[in-house]
Amino acid sequence: MFIKLVATATLLCSVLAAATARADGDSTIGPEYTNAPELTVKEGVPRGVVHAFTLSSEESKMYPGLKGPYQRGVWVYVPSQYVPGTPAPFIVAQDGKGYTNRLPAVLDNMIHEHRLPAMIAVMINSGGGDGKGSERGLEYDTVSDQYTMFIEKEVLPKIEKDYHVKFTTDPNGRATMGGSSGAACAFTMAWFHPELYRRVLSYSGTYVNQQSPENPASLHGAWEYHEHLIPQSEAKPLRIWLQVGEKDNGWNREEATYHNWVLANQRMAAALKAKGYHYEYVYCLGAGHVDRKAVGQTLPEALSWLWQGYGPVKSQ
């Protein structure tokens, strides 16, 4: 009888856990948005440390400067719960400065509440500019593994050395995120190297033809992901959360322009679904491109969904 009760209780716990986990699929929210409470710094919550430094083009063999010397800012959030020398899960955020006033507070609160693992955040800027012909465009919109290798070989080792932290080598403990071209870049990192990154958070992803210089292997730039690459490839062990706004960039442009962000993200979701990926697609009514209000409401929930399945969230 005792064994039967234990078995029943165990089954009930499993059912409850499964019900609590967010399912894959599509959802629509808005058009009104409110900042999630996790964005607010709260009394009694241990605060992580944010280290800041600058990388110059002279230090990079992979991105020495498309149009001359440049500098990029890097901010590294280390949670108060981090034990020096232990391998930590982490997330890389493209266009990093834009997250420095939000991501640390969210991580402080959610780590403290045992809703996320004690992770490090690497918030890193591009080399500058925007669009085709820019350093940012080269880094973020190129459909190749060059940017991933830049992070792996030039950025992470420097952070480990200078700030006495250690990044996990477990791909399930490595996430990447961004908005616009930074989101496309995040997906590219995981697509080319799923043995390094398996969790992707994408706001208004630039899954359009923004690549420069052109690459014969991917004629339509990141549009190729939903047009050819995802449908024609074996599914990879990735988990992808993606969002787009109703009035996002190019929302009323023809498909032939390859510059309709709404259509591109809808097709990304459809392609991921058809291949059986773990994905969540959020369509935001009334929202624009990387809409600040939409981000403010969804960021904590997106992170919670993104990190599902990463072992037990240990007590801090």
Side-chain angles (χ1 to χ4, degrees), residues 79-310:
S80 67
Q81 297 89 346
Y82 176 68
V83 178
T86 60
F90 66 97
I91 187 166
V92 178
Q94 278 59 244
D95 294 316
K97 186 177 182 181
Y99 296 97
T100 55
N101 63 346
R102 288 186 165 191
L103 193 53
V106 171
L107 293 179
D108 282 343
N109 288 323
M110 296 185 72
I111 292 169
H112 178 66
E113 295 166 2
H114 316 305
R115 294 162 60 197
L116 288 176
M119 73 179 76
I120 295 170
V122 177
M123 298 167 280
I124 179 168
N125 275 356
S126 72
D130 193 18
K132 293 185 176 183
S134 69
E135 187 71 31
R136 181 176 184 268
L138 172 67
E139 296 171 14
Y140 290 179
D141 294 314
T142 299
V143 180
S144 79
D145 74 342
Q146 185 173 353
Y147 183 81
T148 316
M149 291 297 96
F150 163 68
I151 295 294
E152 289 300 305
K153 295 180 179 181
E154 298 187 1
V155 179
L156 298 184
K158 177 177 174 58
I159 294 171
E160 286 188 324
K161 179 183 176 183
D162 292 353
Y163 300 110
H164 310 293
V165 298
K166 188 174 180 61
F167 296 111
T168 184
T169 57
D170 175 5
N172 286 309
R174 292 164 148 241
T176 180
M177 68 175 288
S180 193
S181 291
C185 175
F187 185 82
T188 295
M189 291 174 71
W191 179 260
F192 280 91
H193 286 285
E195 80 285 4
L196 296 177
Y197 296 91
R198 293 190 179 173
R199 302 177 190 272
V200 179
L201 196 163
S202 166
Y203 280 106
S204 297
T206 300
Y207 304 111
V208 303
N209 188 11
Q210 195 77 354
Q211 183 169 249
S212 177
E214 292 184 359
N215 181 357
S218 52
L219 287 176
H220 297 154
W223 189 275
E224 293 281 350
Y225 283 126
H226 49 88
E227 185 179 35
H228 294 126
L229 295 176
I230 297 172
Q232 295 175 7
S233 302
E234 290 294 320
K236 301 173 188 283
L238 308 181
R239 187 173 181 85
I240 304 108
W241 187 97
L242 64 162
Q243 173 273 349
V244 76
E246 179 185 15
K247 301 294 185 181
D248 219 300
N249 282 357
W251 63 274
N252 58 353
R253 290 181 185 170
E254 296 293 329
E255 177 182 355
T257 66
Y258 301 109
H259 267 75
N260 182 320
W261 271 248
V262 180
L263 182 59
N265 279 272
Q266 288 172 345
R267 291 190 174 174
M268 282 290 288
L272 293 168
K273 181 178 182 179
K275 279 292 185 175
Y277 278 85
H278 286 297
Y279 84 98
E280 183 171 5
Y281 170 61
V282 180
Y283 181 67
C284 294
L285 296 174
H289 189 62
V290 195
D291 193 287
R292 185 172 178 80
K293 291 181 180 179
V295 174
Q297 177 169 310
T298 60
L299 182 57
E301 187 177 326
L303 286 167
S304 178
W305 183 91
L306 192 68
W307 285 92
Q308 279 181 200
Y310 183 67

Side-chain angles (χ1 to χ4, degrees), residues 41-58:
V41 175
K42 299 177 182 178
E43 260 188 69
V45 173
R47 299 182 66 178
V49 176
V50 178
H51 305 283
F53 67 97
T54 301
L55 278 176
S56 66
S57 52
E58 288 81 1

